[in-house]
């Protein structure tokens, strides 16, 4: 009955279209009242949920991503990707995937990736003869890898939801393998479509122009070196790397590229603070929600339930994948990570699944949800930028869904894709 009160009230509030953060908070109060927990104990958990040093990584990385997305870095990375792969048949679709790989490894956000790369490349691809639906599908599917590669904000949220027991640095490094696998799968699919549909070849960029493009892009690419190099060398932590990334992004944008106007900075900061306020409220209420779940022993009960289903971890992982894929289409990524991690992590660890590996499984699953209706935030942004309907975009996405599912199965059942690199460098 405890679980019915807590989870049932949360589901009812969601169905009533109450924002997720407030649904968590109100459901927490209902659960606390039911099991007779004093209100001040809930308030302590809410305050404690955001009183963590590691959480500083989120606002810093979000701000760095915003500066780079609006400051001309995306355009230069697109040009750099064009130098590398734009000359082959279907080259612009490969440029799209490659640019998403570079920009995702700098911004850590699929939404920023889709908005920045899509606004540059979708019109350009249409001009060269690519269907607008296909161009939009390439953009949104390629942006999923931004959730995996560092500096993924969602890796930080997963570490927090796991109680701080999973290293953010380990998650960052672990995401490189699945991220590259996803990008390779998308690029391979684009090459197959280019050959089948006879998409145009791009032009080879002249050497002098290519060198200029590479030099300009190098300033942005240095962000990846600073973040990963600093963490792996031990010069600074993941949280400190986020602060350094903000300083570097600001310096490159305002003093090297100089495309962004100083008078626009307050507006950008305002947008960033609005985004962060929603995220931090969500994290605070999720902490209290998890506290009540623990008191009600809901994670332990769900672990027992899964153990009664099967004693085979491959079957259990398949069931969890199916559940995450369904839930990912119905709710946004961050609240699902915060709600489900405390529930599912004890289940998978009882089957000897590494928590870092499970983090990658969860991120891939919920990343697919972001480009799947009815609540696919990245899908909606991509369709709006591409000026195409959701229905036609989803139809164009069908083969990409198949490729993403294949990547999910590989990440799920081949742990070394995620765990090999951390075992080598950390």
């Amino acid at each position: 009955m405890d679980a019915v009160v807590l989870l049932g009230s949360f589901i009812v509030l969601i169905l009533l279209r109450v924002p997720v953060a407030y649904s968590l908070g109100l459901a927490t109060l209902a659960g606390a009242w039911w099991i007779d927990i004093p209100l001040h104990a809930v308030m302590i958990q809410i305050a404690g949920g955001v009183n963590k040093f590691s959480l500083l990584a989120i606002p810093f990385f979000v701000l760095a991503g915003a500066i780079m997305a609006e400051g001309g870095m995306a355009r230069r990375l697109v040009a750099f990707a064009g130098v590398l792969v734009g000359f082959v048949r279907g080259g612009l679709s490969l440029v799209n995937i490659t640019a998403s790989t570079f920009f995702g490894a700098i911004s850590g956000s699929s939404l920023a990736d889709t908005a920045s790369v899509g606004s540059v490349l979708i019109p350009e691809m249409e001009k060269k003869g690519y269907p607008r639906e296909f161009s939009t599908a390439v953009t949104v599917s390629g942006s999923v890898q931004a959730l995996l590669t560092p500096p993924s904000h969602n890796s930080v949220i997963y570490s927090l939801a796991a109680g701080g027991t999973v290293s953010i640095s380990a998650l960052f490094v672990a995401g490189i393998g699945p991220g590259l696998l996803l990008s390779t799968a998308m690029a391979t699919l684009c090459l197959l479509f280019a050959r089948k549909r006879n998409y145009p070849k791009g032009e080879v960029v002249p050497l002098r122009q290519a060198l200029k493009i590479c030099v300009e892009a190098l300033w942005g690419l240095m962000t990846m070196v600073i973040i990963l190099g600093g963490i792996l060398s031990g010069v600074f932590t993941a949280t400190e790397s986020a602060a350094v990334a903000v300083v570097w992004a600001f310096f490159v944008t305002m003093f090297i590229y100089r495309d962004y106007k100083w008078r626009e900075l307050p507006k950008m900061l305002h947008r960033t603070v609005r985004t962060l306020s929603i995220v931090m409220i969500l994290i605070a209420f999720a902490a209290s929600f998890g506290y009540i779940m623990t008191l009600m022993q809901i994670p332990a009960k769900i672990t027992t339930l899964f153990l009664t289903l099967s004693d085979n971890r491959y079957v259990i992982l398949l069931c969890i994948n199916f559940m995450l894929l369904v839930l990912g289409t119905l709710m946004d990524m961050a609240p699902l990570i915060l709600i489900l991690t405390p529930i599912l992590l004890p289940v998978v660890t009882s089957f000897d699944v590494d928590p870092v590996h499970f983090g990658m499984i969860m991120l891939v699953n919920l990343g697919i949800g972001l480009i799947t209706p009815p609540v696919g935030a990245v899908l909606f942004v991509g369709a709006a930028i591409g000026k195409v309907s959701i229905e036609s975009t989803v139809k164009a996405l069908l083969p990409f869904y198949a490729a993403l599912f294949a990547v999910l199965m590989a990440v799920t059942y081949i742990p070394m894709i995620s765990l090999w690199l951390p075992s080598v460098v950390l």
Side-chain angles (χ1 to χ4, degrees):
M1 189 62 186
D2 292 348
V4 173
V5 172
L6 181 68
L7 301 178
S9 58
F10 174 70
I11 293 170
V12 169
L13 288 164
I14 289 292
L15 293 176
L16 292 174
R17 298 186 179 276
V18 177
V20 174
Y22 300 120
S23 297
L24 284 170
L26 292 171
T28 298
L29 293 177
W33 170 79
W34 179 258
I35 62 175
D36 199 25
I37 296 296
L39 185 61
H40 70 265
V42 176
M43 295 300 108
I44 290 171
Q45 293 299 318
I46 291 174
V50 290
N51 188 23
K52 292 181 173 65
F53 178 76
S54 60
L55 274 180
L56 285 172
I58 296 177
F60 282 134
F61 278 135
V62 170
L63 179 57
I67 293 172
M68 291 181 283
E70 298 183 25
M73 198 171 288
R75 178 169 52 82
R76 288 170 172 84
L77 290 174
V78 167
F80 178 63
V83 171
L84 297 180
V85 296
F87 55 87
V88 301
R89 183 167 299 282
L92 269 183
S93 59
L94 289 185
V95 169
N96 196 318
I97 297 297
T98 307
S100 288
T101 302
F102 288 140
F103 191 73
I106 292 172
S107 70
S109 167
S110 285
L111 280 172
D113 194 328
T114 298
S116 301
V117 175
S119 60
V120 176
L121 274 176
I122 292 176
E124 185 65 23
M125 289 177 71
E126 184 185 31
K127 193 185 300 181
K128 297 294 184 182
Y130 294 81
R132 190 170 274 268
E133 294 82 1
F134 174 77
S135 306
T136 305
V138 171
T139 303
V140 298
S141 59
S143 71
V144 174
Q145 58 82 38
L147 304 168
L148 302 168
T149 51
S152 168
H153 316 145
N154 293 286
S155 291
V156 179
I157 294 174
Y158 173 77
S159 174
L160 170 74
T165 57
V166 185
S167 163
I168 296 174
S169 299
L171 290 167
F172 277 3
V173 178
I176 295 174
L180 291 177
L181 176 63
L182 192 151
S183 296
T184 302
M186 297 298 102
T188 303
L189 195 58
C190 287
L191 285 173
L192 292 174
F193 276 123
R195 183 178 293 273
K196 182 179 179 181
R197 299 174 181 176
N198 198 31
Y199 287 145
K201 280 187 176 183
E203 297 178 359
V204 177
V205 180
L207 180 60
R208 179 172 293 186
Q209 186 181 349
L211 289 173
K212 181 183 177 183
I213 289 171
C214 292
V215 170
E216 286 192 347
L218 188 62
W219 292 100
L221 294 172
M222 277 298 295
T223 311
M224 291 188 291
V225 177
I226 291 170
I227 293 171
L228 266 183
I231 293 172
L232 298 180
S233 64
V235 174
F236 38 68
T237 65
T239 304
E240 292 163 348
S241 75
V244 174
V246 170
V247 175
W248 179 256
F250 180 79
F251 170 74
V252 171
T253 297
M254 305 308 296
F255 296 101
I256 303 297
Y257 293 158
R258 291 183 289 183
D259 289 348
Y260 202 70
K261 296 179 175 60
W262 286 88
R263 65 174 179 269
E264 297 294 326
L265 277 176
K267 296 178 183 178
M268 184 192 66
L269 290 172
H270 180 257
R271 288 193 296 271
T272 303
V273 169
R274 286 187 60 185
T275 301
L276 288 171
S277 63
I278 297 169
V279 173
M280 300 311 281
I281 291 171
L282 177 62
I283 290 172
F285 285 146
S288 61
F289 188 83
Y291 169 69
I292 299 299
M293 277 201 306
T294 302
L295 293 179
M296 291 179 172
Q297 298 184 327
I298 292 175
K301 292 173 183 175
I302 292 179
T303 300
T304 304
L305 174 64
F306 271 101
L307 290 171
T308 59
L309 291 176
S310 175
D311 58 358
N312 187 315
R313 73 171 175 176
Y314 299 111
V315 174
I316 294 298
L317 285 174
L318 186 62
C319 294
I320 289 175
N321 275 332
F322 178 75
M323 181 180 74
L324 290 174
L325 284 172
V326 172
L327 292 175
T329 66
L330 302 174
M331 194 184 298
D332 206 6
M333 189 171 192
L336 278 175
I337 293 173
L338 291 164
I339 295 167
L340 294 178
T341 300
I343 295 174
L344 296 178
L345 196 56
V347 176
V348 296
T349 52
S350 68
F351 286 93
D352 296 322
V353 176
D354 190 284
V356 173
H357 176 213
F358 181 65
M360 296 303 107
I361 295 173
M362 180 172 273
L363 292 181
V364 176
N365 268 297
L366 300 183
I368 295 173
L370 286 178
I371 64 170
T372 308
V375 189
V378 175
L379 171 64
F380 297 152
V381 170
I385 292 171
K387 298 178 182 177
V388 291
S389 68
I390 299 296
E391 294 80 7
S392 59
T393 305
V394 170
K395 185 177 179 181
L397 271 169
L398 291 177
F400 292 93
Y401 286 136
L404 286 166
F405 184 76
V407 170
L408 172 62
M409 290 297 100
V411 171
T412 300
Y413 294 117
I414 308 175
M416 292 310 292
I417 293 174
S418 305
L419 300 180
W420 177 77
L421 198 55
S423 69
V424 172
V425 299
L426 295 178

